[in-house]
Amino acid sequence: DTDYRGTVTARSELGGGVILELCHELDYVDWLAGPVEETACVAQKVSDLEMDSEDVAEIVGRSARGCLISIHLDCVQLAPVRQCKLIGSMGTIVIDFLNREVRSTRAGEQSRAVWRHTQSRDGRFREQMQHVLACVRGEESPRVPLERGIEVLSLTMAVKMANETGRACPVACPD
C-alpha cells in the first residue's frame, strides 16, 4: 500500500489498463447515479510505468436519472487518491476510500465526517473471502448477483469502446 507505483507496476502485468483495473469506480457511480445510459472517454498511456495499456482515463456520462457523471482514473499519481464526490444543490458528499470515511458538507456549513469505517483493509478482504467460501459451500447466497456484474462489464466495455472510437457510446446491457 505504501509504494503506490510499485503496487501498480505489479498489477499492470494483468494488462487490463486503468479502465479495467479500476472498474469498481464505474460500478459504484452506476449504482449511486442510476444506470449509465451513455458514456465518452479519453484514455492513454502517459507514464513510464511498465504497462502496455492506458494508465489515465477521463470518463464522462449521463445516467438514466439525468445525473452528469465525471470519473478520473489513473495509476500515475504518487500519492494515491480514491474518492467519490457527489455534488448537488443542497451539498456535497465525499467518500474517501483510502481514509475509510464519508464526509458531507451542506450549503453554508463546514465539511464534517459522518461515518468512519474502522475495519482494516485486510479484515475487509478476509470477510469477503469468507463469504465467497460460504457461497461455494452453499451456506450463503452471493451478495451481488451475476446480473450486476454483467451490467458493470457492459458499462466498462462501453467506456473502452468510447475511447477507441472517439465517440460517445450508449451502454447496452444484455437482457
Side-chain angles (χ1 to χ4, degrees):
D1 286 340
T2 57
D3 184 1
Y4 187 66
R5 288 177 61 101
T7 301
V8 171
T9 301
R11 277 191 317 185
S12 69
E13 293 174 12
L14 297 173
V18 73
I19 295 170
L20 291 176
E21 293 292 326
L22 300 179
C23 68
H24 295 293
E25 276 73 356
L26 297 170
D27 183 11
Y28 68 69
V29 165
D30 188 76
W31 180 69
L32 290 168
V36 177
E37 293 184 327
E38 184 178 37
T39 185
C41 175
V42 176
Q44 66 184 42
K45 179 172 175 21
V46 300
S47 75
D48 60 353
L49 291 173
E50 296 176 21
M51 56 192 303
D52 296 329
S53 50
E54 82 279 347
D55 52 15
V56 175
E58 295 295 336
I59 303 164
V60 294
R62 181 180 308 114
S63 79
R65 295 181 190 154
C67 297
L68 295 179
I69 298 160
S70 172
I71 302 171
H72 170 85
L73 302 175
D74 81 76
C75 54
V76 178
Q77 296 182 63
L78 295 178
V81 175
R82 297 285 300 268
Q83 292 183 340
C84 173
K85 188 181 288 188
L86 305 166
I87 303 169
S89 60
M90 297 177 62
T92 301
I93 297 172
V94 177
I95 305 166
D96 186 333
F97 296 101
L98 297 179
N99 291 318
R100 301 186 315 259
E101 71 178 15
V102 177
R103 303 186 68 75
S104 73
T105 306
R106 292 183 187 257
E109 294 181 8
Q110 294 209 358
S111 178
R112 62 186 176 89
V114 293
W115 181 79
R116 285 198 171 87
H117 195 294
T118 57
Q119 186 181 29
S120 71
R121 184 171 191 247
D122 184 58
R124 291 191 312 272
F125 284 120
R126 287 177 185 270
E127 183 180 307
Q128 288 174 5
M129 185 51 67
Q130 288 170 353
H131 173 66
V132 168
L133 294 174
C135 290
V136 169
R137 291 189 301 264
E139 299 167 358
E140 294 181 24
S141 297
R143 293 178 186 150
V144 179
L146 175 62
E147 294 77 20
R148 179 66 190 144
I150 293 169
E151 291 169 3
V152 174
L153 184 58
S154 295
L155 172 57
T156 304
M157 293 297 96
V159 168
K160 297 279 282 180
M161 179 68 74
N163 181 54
E164 291 172 13
T165 64
R167 292 185 222 145
C169 289
V171 178
C173 293
D175 293 332

